[in-house]
Amino acid sequence: MLDKLAGETHFDRRPEEIWPQLTSPKFLCECFPGIDSVLSADDMSATFRVRPKFGFLRTTLDIAVRFVEKVPPTRARAVLRIQGIGSSADAEVEFELAACGDGTLLRWTIIVRELRGLLKTVSAGLTQAAAQQVANETIASIGQRLPPPKT
């Protein structure tokens, strides 16, 4: 298992304003870097295909995300299954929302539970750096795609 990744981001919208997007599998997968296509999506899960932009990985990956807990508008937890040719991984994502002034503080955690196949042969430092980059790009994209704050 990789060490857990964690971070926090401030959004200039109240938790109840951003909750619907942060718990929408379709919205989240469209924010993922390298998105190629959304294969399926409903209220609790989505499957999508990405083309990673990492020098050590030239392939397509199918990612399935499924929410296993939603507590509006404060926290949620989802599991991810990443599948590629000769490689796969399982991860868990958890986030908490807290009102912060007129906005929201988003605290997130990602734990990669298992790497299999070719992903297991990549150095832990390189894998962790890649996961951190994907997390940062996804959070930035979420911020750009959120609806404008209510006035």
Side-chain angles (χ1 to χ4, degrees), residues 113-145:
R113 297 286 180 197
E114 186 175 3
L115 297 173
R116 291 176 292 282
L118 297 174
L119 286 175
K120 194 171 184 175
T121 65
V122 178
S123 78
L126 191 56
T127 305
Q128 187 142 1
Q132 185 70 54
Q133 180 181 341
V134 168
N136 292 342
E137 289 180 21
T138 302
I139 297 277
S141 181
I142 288 169
Q144 293 168 355
R145 293 171 182 254

Side-chain angles (χ1 to χ4, degrees), residues 18-71:
I18 64 175
W19 174 260
Q21 288 80 25
L22 292 178
T23 57
S24 164
K26 184 169 181 0
F27 176 84
L28 292 175
C29 65
E30 290 172 350
C31 294
F32 208 86
I35 182 79
D36 183 58
S37 59
V38 177
L39 305 174
S40 66
D42 61 34
D43 290 344
M44 294 298 283
S45 63
T47 302
F48 56 103
R49 183 164 289 146
V50 297
R51 295 186 187 278
K53 299 174 185 171
F54 304 120
F56 67 90
L57 186 61
R58 295 277 186 227
T59 188
T60 59
L61 297 173
D62 287 346
I63 301 176
V65 59
R66 179 177 49 87
F67 278 92
V68 293
E69 180 181 24
K70 290 183 181 183
V71 181

Side-chain angles (χ1 to χ4, degrees), residues 64-102:
V65 59
R66 179 177 49 87
F67 278 92
V68 293
E69 180 181 24
K70 290 183 181 183
V71 181
T74 59
R75 64 185 167 91
R77 188 167 53 94
V79 293
L80 282 84
R81 173 71 173 202
I82 302 162
Q83 191 77 37
I85 297 173
S87 60
S88 63
D90 294 317
E92 187 172 310
V93 178
E94 192 169 325
F95 69 82
E96 293 181 0
L97 300 173
C100 181
D102 289 337

